């Protein structure tokens, strides 16, 4: 089933296009692949980036939208990514970057395309675990800027994943949540009050 990629806010896309068109922004970016790219670079596959700041013992806390990420394609492959963020003045370009999450995101999206159920792809960042996942949301009609993972949604950890969590393995939220909760909850020290 095809993924239902949500449209990015037009100002977010415009901010990335403006940055791509700026020789200064591209030259000053810490992305050698983007600076060395031959031919036109285009932003594709906009994904909302949600952040899970806190995992409680009872389950997920609400997520918050942190921005939109675009894979920057040059020719046949993505060479970098660009993030836009919401500011008090509206959507603004944040930065370009490259690294292992670019090919890992592409791989996870290809895996998701082969699934039988339609999903709305999003990214879910878990900063407390230095973890990024492709979040496959089952309600494809939902506003991509809102919501939190449902128990039946899938999370696909991107590589590099934290130790003990398999990258590129789809987990139901209900399956991965106990692992994340255990990892994110600091252990009580011996002799500390209960």
């Amino acid at each position: 089933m095809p993924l239902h990629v949500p449209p990015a806010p037009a100002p977010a896309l415009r901010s990335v296009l403006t940055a791509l068109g700026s020789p200064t922004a591209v030259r000053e970016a810490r992305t050698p692949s983007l600076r060395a790219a031959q031919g036109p670079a285009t932003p594709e596959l906009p994904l909302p980036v949600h952040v899970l700041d806190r995992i409680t013992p009872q389950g997920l806390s609400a997520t918050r939208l942190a921005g939109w990420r675009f894979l920057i394609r040059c020719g046949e492959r993505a060479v970098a990514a660009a993030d836009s963020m919401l500011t008090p003045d509206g959507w603004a370009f944040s930065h370009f970057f490259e690294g292992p999450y670019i090919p890992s995101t592409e791989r996870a999206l290809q895996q998701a395309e082969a699934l039988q159920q339609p999903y709305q792809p999003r990214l879910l960042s878990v900063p407390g675990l230095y973890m990024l996942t492709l979040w496959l949301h089952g309600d494809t009609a939902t506003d991509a800027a809102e919501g939190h993972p449902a128990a039946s949604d899938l999370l696909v950890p991107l590589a590099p994943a934290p130790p003990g969590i398999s990258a590129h393995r789809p987990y139901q939220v209900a399956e991965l949540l106990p692992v994340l909760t255990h990892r994110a909850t600091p252990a009580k020290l011996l002799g500390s009050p209960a």
Side-chain angles (χ1 to χ4, degrees), residues 7 9 24 39 42 53 59 68 73 89 93 108 113 124 128 145 164 175 182 185:
T24 304
T42 56
D53 289 318
W68 282 81
R73 187 166 301 283
D89 295 325
F93 170 73
E113 281 284 349
L124 180 65
E175 177 188 4
H182 175 72
T185 304

Side-chain angles (χ1 to χ4, degrees), residues 118-138:
Y119 288 101
Q120 182 189 80
R122 304 168 175 199
L123 293 173
L124 180 65
S125 174
V126 186
L129 297 176
Y130 301 100
M131 181 177 180
L132 185 64
T133 70
L134 177 64
W135 167 15
L136 298 173
H137 191 53

